[in-house]
Amino acid sequence: HVLSLHSPGFQLCFYPGMDRFAVKMFTIIVSIAFLVIVGSAFFLPKLRCINIHKVHMTVGPRITPVLATMIMFSFTKFFDFVLSSLLYTDVCDLSTQECWKVWFYDGNLKYFNSPRHIVLGVVSLAILLFFLIPIMTTIIFGDHLHCSIY
């Protein structure tokens, strides 16, 4: 079927009729999988599950730029997911003068009123509060936080 993921860099569709909700959920799952891989690369050697010297000899010194790229890719995908999930627009019925908020990318999903958009909104708010804001705060104020602790 025609590829239809509207994302810079690549387009993709796994089944006919894949809508924006499914695309957004897929991109967040891929980003989480990338972070799990990066986390495994950092924490498994500390748990002594793998020998980091053997990994270093196999992969070489190029592992740090690769991991940094994967973290940056996940961060930008999370940021895109949060912003696009929280965008809305107003749809108005001119005959009754009634207006309601809908998700910007799919007018069939009422903004925080349909179950699918509630899932999108809750996941995006959780990512914003528990991942993006702490990471951005650490990046911006990391040196000041480090100096005030010690």
Side-chain angles (χ1 to χ4, degrees):
H1 195 271
V2 176
L3 303 175
S4 69
L5 177 66
H6 304 289
S7 175
F10 64 94
Q11 294 187 356
L12 151 83
C13 181
F14 285 113
Y15 57 89
M18 187 174 185
D19 60 353
R20 291 292 284 194
F21 174 79
V23 168
K24 288 297 173 189
M25 294 309 288
F26 174 75
T27 57
I28 202 66
I29 289 169
V30 168
S31 297
I32 290 171
F34 278 158
L35 287 182
V36 167
I37 292 169
V38 171
S40 299
F42 282 119
F43 292 116
L44 286 178
K46 294 188 185 308
L47 298 173
R48 307 221 190 273
C49 296
I50 60 172
N51 186 349
I52 193 63
H53 181 68
K54 286 184 181 178
V55 173
H56 181 71
M57 295 305 289
T58 305
V59 177
R62 297 173 303 278
I63 190 72
T64 302
V66 170
L67 294 177
T69 302
M70 290 176 72
I71 291 171
M72 185 55 89
F73 174 77
S74 294
F75 183 82
T76 56
K77 282 297 183 184
F78 282 141
F79 202 77
D80 175 61
F81 174 78
V82 168
L83 288 179
S84 63
S85 296
L86 297 178
L87 288 176
Y88 70 90
T89 190
D90 292 322
V91 174
C92 297
D93 184 3
L94 296 177
S95 62
T96 62
Q97 299 297 324
E98 184 181 0
C99 293
W100 54 92
K101 293 183 183 343
V102 295
W103 185 35
F104 186 79
Y105 294 103
D106 186 354
N108 295 323
L109 296 179
K110 291 188 177 179
Y111 191 74
F112 277 104
N113 205 3
S114 65
R116 292 175 77 188
H117 191 267
I118 290 173
V119 168
L120 268 178
V122 168
V123 169
S124 66
L125 289 174
I127 289 171
L128 179 67
L129 293 175
F130 299 115
F131 183 72
L132 293 178
I133 290 176
I135 295 287
M136 288 188 295
T137 305
T138 304
I139 290 170
I140 294 170
F141 301 112
D143 290 338
H144 300 295
L145 294 173
H146 180 72
C147 291
S148 66
I149 291 173
Y150 296 108

